[in-house]
Amino acid sequence: MRDRFAEAPRPSFRLIPSQFPPIGLFETVTRGADLEAVMELVGWTNDRLVADRIRRLPEAEWVYGAPNSSIVMAAFLHVAPGGMRFNGPDLGAWYAADNLKTAAAEVGHHLRREAVARGVATMARTYRSYSANLAGDYLDIRGEQTLRPDVYDGTSYAASQVLGEEVRSSGGAGILYDSVRLRGGVNIVAHRPRNIRDVVQVDHFEITVSATDRRIDVRKLASRRRPRGNA
């Protein structure tokens, strides 16, 4: 089977819990050495795992000096213990969707899993939405659920993480794939921080899920005054 490549949808969208706001100091940095000092100042290097990931991420890939730089860097340095679909625990990646509906389906799924794990009937969380343009050509595995059933497994990331890390180690931009949570939705994983461009904070949403119901309630919140550096 010959690999296909395609550009990512423009723009793409990502939802991030509002409890993690952007850090303006990242936008003032002009050198990698200064970024190290900023990451130490804000406490990121106090976490041994984060410090290890900083060393794994080539300095040429660090993002700084642009709006929402900290949001991009955080996606690669603050990683779930078991990793995610196309990245292991050693280094993160930027996950995005072709539209906000798909993005909400993805975060809603994980919020529901959290509700089940905590033994609560419902959970609600507020998210910031970001739009971004993703540069590069992405391995396109859309429509390949039959050819790659292990990669599209709804419960195990074992095979998909292997594929994702192979793409990263080969210098690839990332992967374009069908959403497992929303039929017809498209997701992107970007493995190169410098390819994540024009990041703009858009709106705030409250997402509510039930531990026993697949429905996801999404409510757009009234506009808030955004921190300097966000369009």
Side-chain angles (χ1 to χ4, degrees):
M1 180 177 61
R2 188 171 183 177
D3 288 339
R4 297 177 295 136
F5 293 86
E7 294 183 351
R10 293 196 177 193
S12 59
F13 297 89
R14 177 177 171 89
L15 290 168
I16 297 174
S18 295
Q19 69 197 75
F20 304 118
I23 301 171
L25 284 174
F26 281 65
E27 301 171 13
T28 67
V29 170
T30 58
R31 301 184 308 156
D34 294 333
L35 181 61
E36 283 191 275
V38 166
M39 288 190 285
E40 182 175 357
L41 179 65
V42 299
W44 283 16
T45 55
N46 293 339
D47 185 323
R48 180 183 59 80
L49 294 176
V50 172
D52 288 344
R53 292 180 190 121
I54 292 171
R55 288 190 288 271
R56 293 189 190 103
L57 187 63
E59 186 173 331
E61 287 288 340
W62 293 3
V63 174
Y64 49 85
N68 297 305
S69 297
S70 66
I71 296 297
V72 176
M73 289 293 287
F76 289 83
L77 301 180
H78 297 284
V79 185
M84 296 182 69
R85 182 169 292 277
F86 290 106
N87 68 275
D90 291 339
L91 194 61
W94 178 272
Y95 288 83
D98 59 337
N99 56 52
L100 285 168
K101 184 177 180 180
T102 305
E106 297 292 340
V107 300
H109 166 77
H110 293 287
L111 188 61
R112 183 183 298 110
R113 289 183 61 186
E114 185 177 341
V116 172
R118 292 189 176 191
V120 297
T122 62
M123 281 194 73
R125 184 165 293 154
T126 303
Y127 293 83
R128 285 182 171 88
S129 64
Y130 291 87
S131 67
N133 292 323
L134 305 181
D137 292 324
Y138 292 76
L139 176 64
D140 187 356
I141 63 170
R142 290 174 295 178
E144 296 186 1
Q145 291 91 333
T146 302
L147 294 173
R148 303 177 187 262
D150 50 350
V151 170
Y152 275 101
D153 192 301
T155 58
S156 172
Y157 292 161
S160 57
Q161 286 185 359
V162 170
L163 175 62
E165 293 301 346
E166 286 177 350
V167 169
R168 193 203 304 267
S169 63
S170 70
I175 301 171
L176 192 59
Y177 61 104
D178 293 311
S179 171
V180 177
R181 314 304 171 192
L182 181 68
R183 184 182 297 274
V186 173
N187 288 330
I188 315 97
V189 57
H191 288 112
R192 307 289 162 195
R194 285 292 180 96
N195 283 347
I196 304 161
R197 303 173 183 176
D198 309 319
V199 182
V200 176
Q201 182 181 308
V202 186
D203 292 300
H204 290 256
F205 295 89
E206 183 181 75
I207 295 180
T208 304
V209 299
S210 165
T212 58
D213 188 338
R214 294 185 61 83
R215 187 178 66 182
I216 300 172
D217 292 325
V218 181
R219 182 169 66 93
K220 183 178 178 180
L221 302 179
S223 298
R224 303 179 182 181
R225 185 177 180 181
R226 295 168 184 155
R228 181 177 295 180
N230 289 292

